Amino acid sequence: GPGARMAPASARLHGVERIFMIDHHQYRLDFARDTYGVEANNFDEEDDPAERIVGATANRGVDASIEAVGFEAKGSTVETVMTNLKLEGSSGHALRQAMAATRRGGTVSVPGVYAGFIHAFLFGDAFDKGLTFRMGQTHVQQHMPALLENISKGALQPEVIISHRMALSDTVRGYEIFEKKQENCRKVVLTPD
Protein backbone atom coordinates (compact mmCIF):
# COMPACT_ATOMS: atom_id res chain seq x y z
CA GLY A 1 0.00 0.00 0.00
CA PRO A 2 0.94 3.66 0.26
CA GLY A 3 3.00 3.08 3.42
CA ALA A 4 5.26 0.66 1.61
CA ARG A 5 5.49 3.11 -1.31
CA MET A 6 6.77 5.81 1.08
CA ALA A 7 9.21 3.56 2.99
CA PRO A 8 12.03 4.02 0.46
CA ALA A 9 11.49 7.80 0.46
CA SER A 10 11.79 7.84 4.25
CA ALA A 11 14.85 5.60 4.12
CA ARG A 12 16.55 7.97 1.64
CA LEU A 13 15.61 10.91 3.88
CA HIS A 14 17.48 9.20 6.72
CA GLY A 15 20.58 8.58 4.59
CA VAL A 16 20.12 4.94 3.63
CA GLU A 17 22.36 4.30 0.63
CA ARG A 18 21.17 0.91 -0.57
CA ILE A 19 17.55 -0.21 -0.54
CA PHE A 20 16.17 -3.58 -1.59
CA MET A 21 12.46 -4.04 -2.23
CA ILE A 22 10.59 -7.33 -2.50
CA ASP A 23 7.15 -7.41 -4.10
CA HIS A 24 5.33 -9.46 -6.69
CA HIS A 25 3.64 -6.62 -8.56
CA GLN A 26 6.14 -5.52 -11.19
CA TYR A 27 4.52 -2.08 -11.65
CA ARG A 28 5.17 -1.28 -7.98
CA LEU A 29 8.76 -2.48 -8.22
CA ASP A 30 9.28 -0.41 -11.38
CA PHE A 31 7.88 2.69 -9.63
CA ALA A 32 10.15 2.21 -6.60
CA ARG A 33 13.21 1.57 -8.80
CA ASP A 34 12.54 4.60 -11.01
CA THR A 35 11.51 6.95 -8.19
CA TYR A 36 13.79 5.94 -5.30
CA GLY A 37 16.55 3.89 -6.90
CA VAL A 38 15.73 0.67 -5.07
CA GLU A 39 17.06 -2.72 -6.09
CA ALA A 40 13.87 -4.51 -7.07
CA ASN A 41 13.23 -8.19 -6.33
CA ASN A 42 10.12 -9.87 -7.72
CA PHE A 43 9.40 -12.86 -5.51
CA ASP A 44 7.29 -14.48 -8.23
CA GLU A 45 10.49 -14.73 -10.30
CA GLU A 46 12.90 -15.78 -7.54
CA ASP A 47 12.91 -18.82 -5.28
CA ASP A 48 14.29 -16.94 -2.29
CA PRO A 49 14.65 -13.13 -2.55
CA ALA A 50 16.11 -12.91 0.97
CA GLU A 51 18.91 -15.28 -0.03
CA ARG A 52 19.69 -13.06 -3.04
CA ILE A 53 19.73 -9.96 -0.81
CA VAL A 54 22.09 -11.63 1.67
CA GLY A 55 24.34 -12.63 -1.24
CA ALA A 56 24.25 -9.07 -2.61
CA THR A 57 25.49 -7.78 0.77
CA ALA A 58 28.56 -10.03 0.94
CA ASN A 59 26.58 -12.59 3.00
CA ARG A 60 25.99 -10.02 5.73
CA GLY A 61 22.33 -9.09 5.26
CA VAL A 62 20.70 -5.70 5.56
CA ASP A 63 20.94 -3.59 8.71
CA ALA A 64 17.17 -3.19 8.92
CA SER A 65 14.12 -4.44 7.11
CA ILE A 66 10.56 -3.18 6.95
CA GLU A 67 7.77 -5.73 6.57
CA ALA A 68 4.87 -3.58 5.40
CA VAL A 69 2.43 -6.12 3.96
CA GLY A 70 1.26 -8.01 7.05
CA PHE A 71 -1.61 -10.48 6.97
CA GLU A 72 -2.22 -9.88 3.26
CA ALA A 73 1.13 -11.48 2.42
CA LYS A 74 1.03 -14.15 -0.21
CA GLY A 75 1.97 -17.38 1.55
CA SER A 76 2.34 -21.02 0.74
CA THR A 77 -0.58 -23.27 -0.14
CA VAL A 78 -0.49 -24.66 3.41
CA GLU A 79 -0.65 -21.16 4.89
CA THR A 80 -3.52 -20.20 2.58
CA VAL A 81 -5.51 -23.28 3.61
CA MET A 82 -4.77 -22.69 7.31
CA THR A 83 -5.85 -19.05 7.03
CA ASN A 84 -9.06 -19.99 5.22
CA LEU A 85 -9.84 -22.58 7.91
CA LYS A 86 -9.13 -19.95 10.60
CA LEU A 87 -6.29 -22.08 11.99
CA GLU A 88 -3.89 -19.26 11.29
CA GLY A 89 -4.49 -15.51 11.40
CA SER A 90 -1.83 -14.45 8.92
CA SER A 91 0.76 -15.77 6.49
CA GLY A 92 4.23 -15.43 7.92
CA HIS A 93 5.99 -15.61 4.56
CA ALA A 94 6.89 -11.91 4.28
CA LEU A 95 7.95 -11.78 7.93
CA ARG A 96 10.21 -14.82 7.47
CA GLN A 97 11.77 -13.17 4.38
CA ALA A 98 12.42 -9.96 6.35
CA MET A 99 14.04 -11.92 9.17
CA ALA A 100 16.18 -13.95 6.76
CA ALA A 101 17.40 -10.84 4.91
CA THR A 102 18.37 -8.98 8.10
CA ARG A 103 21.89 -9.26 9.50
CA ARG A 104 22.78 -10.46 12.98
CA GLY A 105 21.91 -7.74 15.48
CA GLY A 106 19.71 -5.98 12.91
CA THR A 107 16.19 -4.60 13.20
CA VAL A 108 12.96 -5.88 11.69
CA SER A 109 10.24 -3.22 11.65
CA VAL A 110 6.68 -4.46 11.19
CA PRO A 111 4.08 -1.79 10.42
CA GLY A 112 2.18 -4.43 8.39
CA VAL A 113 -0.93 -5.55 10.27
CA TYR A 114 -1.00 -9.09 11.66
CA ALA A 115 -3.80 -10.88 13.47
CA GLY A 116 -3.63 -14.07 15.45
CA PHE A 117 -1.37 -17.08 15.15
CA ILE A 118 1.40 -17.13 12.53
CA HIS A 119 2.47 -20.53 11.20
CA ALA A 120 6.23 -21.19 11.23
CA PHE A 121 7.27 -18.02 13.04
CA LEU A 122 10.96 -18.80 13.40
CA PHE A 123 11.50 -17.42 16.88
CA GLY A 124 14.66 -19.50 17.35
CA ASP A 125 16.19 -17.94 14.23
CA ALA A 126 15.30 -14.45 15.46
CA PHE A 127 16.84 -15.25 18.86
CA ASP A 128 20.00 -16.72 17.32
CA LYS A 129 20.50 -13.63 15.14
CA GLY A 130 19.74 -11.25 18.02
CA LEU A 131 17.14 -9.39 15.99
CA THR A 132 15.31 -6.39 17.38
CA PHE A 133 11.65 -6.14 16.45
CA ARG A 134 9.76 -2.85 16.21
CA MET A 135 6.08 -3.26 15.45
CA GLY A 136 2.59 -1.99 15.95
CA GLN A 137 0.41 0.83 14.81
CA THR A 138 2.49 3.81 13.73
CA HIS A 139 2.45 6.68 16.22
CA VAL A 140 1.49 9.22 13.59
CA GLN A 141 1.09 12.20 15.91
CA GLN A 142 4.64 11.73 17.22
CA HIS A 143 6.10 11.90 13.70
CA MET A 144 3.74 14.44 12.14
CA PRO A 145 5.76 17.64 12.88
CA ALA A 146 8.95 16.26 11.30
CA LEU A 147 7.05 14.81 8.33
CA LEU A 148 5.26 18.09 7.64
CA GLU A 149 8.52 20.01 7.94
CA ASN A 150 10.23 17.68 5.45
CA ILE A 151 7.28 17.94 3.08
CA SER A 152 7.28 21.74 3.25
CA LYS A 153 11.05 21.79 2.53
CA GLY A 154 10.55 19.43 -0.40
CA ALA A 155 12.66 16.68 1.19
CA LEU A 156 9.64 14.35 1.10
CA GLN A 157 7.20 14.37 -1.78
CA PRO A 158 4.30 12.07 -0.87
CA GLU A 159 2.24 13.22 -3.84
CA VAL A 160 4.40 11.13 -6.20
CA ILE A 161 2.70 7.95 -5.00
CA ILE A 162 -0.73 9.22 -6.09
CA SER A 163 -1.72 7.36 -9.23
CA HIS A 164 -5.46 8.12 -9.30
CA ARG A 165 -7.58 11.14 -8.39
CA MET A 166 -11.30 10.45 -8.32
CA ALA A 167 -14.56 12.03 -7.26
CA LEU A 168 -15.99 10.93 -3.94
CA SER A 169 -18.88 9.39 -5.84
CA ASP A 170 -16.33 6.96 -7.39
CA THR A 171 -15.21 5.62 -3.99
CA VAL A 172 -16.30 2.05 -4.68
CA ARG A 173 -14.44 1.97 -8.00
CA GLY A 174 -11.36 3.52 -6.35
CA TYR A 175 -11.26 0.85 -3.65
CA GLU A 176 -11.82 -1.86 -6.25
CA ILE A 177 -8.94 -0.86 -8.52
CA PHE A 178 -6.65 -0.46 -5.51
CA GLU A 179 -7.62 -3.81 -3.97
CA LYS A 180 -7.44 -5.70 -7.28
CA LYS A 181 -4.16 -4.01 -8.28
CA GLN A 182 -5.65 -2.69 -11.52
CA GLU A 183 -4.47 0.23 -13.66
CA ASN A 184 -1.08 0.27 -11.86
CA CYS A 185 -2.88 1.79 -8.87
CA ARG A 186 -0.62 2.93 -6.01
CA LYS A 187 -2.77 5.48 -4.17
CA VAL A 188 -6.24 6.89 -4.80
CA VAL A 189 -7.14 10.38 -3.62
CA LEU A 190 -10.87 11.11 -3.44
CA THR A 191 -12.19 14.66 -3.70
CA PRO A 192 -15.75 15.95 -3.15
CA ASP A 193 -17.91 15.97 -6.28
Side-chain angles (χ1 to χ4, degrees):
R5 302 294 70 81
M6 290 304 300
S10 297
R12 290 280 184 234
L13 182 68
H14 290 292
V16 175
E17 293 179 17
R18 193 170 186 192
I19 301 170
F20 297 92
M21 182 173 277
I22 302 172
D23 199 328
H24 69 116
H25 295 287
Q26 192 60 47
Y27 77 92
R28 296 192 309 205
L29 290 168
D30 292 343
F31 171 81
R33 185 193 61 239
D34 296 345
T35 307
Y36 306 115
V38 307
E39 296 180 44
N41 301 271
N42 188 323
F43 71 75
D44 282 341
E45 298 172 3
E46 298 182 52
D47 290 334
D48 189 348
E51 184 178 286
R52 195 189 81 65
I53 290 169
V54 169
T57 57
N59 294 319
R60 182 174 180 269
V62 295
D63 293 330
S65 58
I66 300 171
E67 197 291 275
V69 69
F71 73 91
E72 294 179 339
K74 181 179 176 183
S76 68
T77 302
V78 170
E79 287 176 310
T80 301
V81 170
M82 290 179 70
T83 302
N84 290 339
L85 293 174
K86 307 293 188 223
L87 297 174
E88 172 173 86
S90 305
S91 166
H93 182 71
L95 184 57
R96 289 190 300 273
Q97 285 286 302
M99 291 166 53
T102 305
R103 69 167 173 80
R104 292 184 169 282
T107 300
V108 177
S109 179
V110 188
V113 177
Y114 280 90
F117 177 75
I118 299 174
H119 175 71
F121 178 74
L122 305 174
F123 191 77
D125 289 359
F127 177 85
D128 180 56
K129 290 176 87 172
L131 298 177
T132 297
F133 285 84
R134 300 287 302 194
M135 64 190 85
Q137 297 293 325
T138 302
H139 304 289
V140 178
Q141 296 304 319
Q142 174 186 353
H143 301 289
M144 191 65 73
L147 288 169
L148 291 173
E149 181 180 336
N150 281 305
I151 290 168
S152 69
K153 290 191 295 190
L156 272 179
Q157 299 171 338
E159 69 278 4
V160 301
I161 69 166
I162 299 169
S163 58
H164 292 70
R165 294 180 186 273
M166 305 172 108
L168 196 55
S169 59
D170 289 328
T171 299
V172 172
R173 181 173 175 275
Y175 275 102
E176 184 177 281
I177 64 172
F178 181 77
E179 179 186 358
K180 293 181 179 179
K181 315 297 187 268
Q182 298 172 337
E183 302 177 22
N184 293 343
C185 186
R186 295 184 306 271
K187 174 69 176 166
V188 177
V189 171
L190 301 169
T191 54
D193 297 348

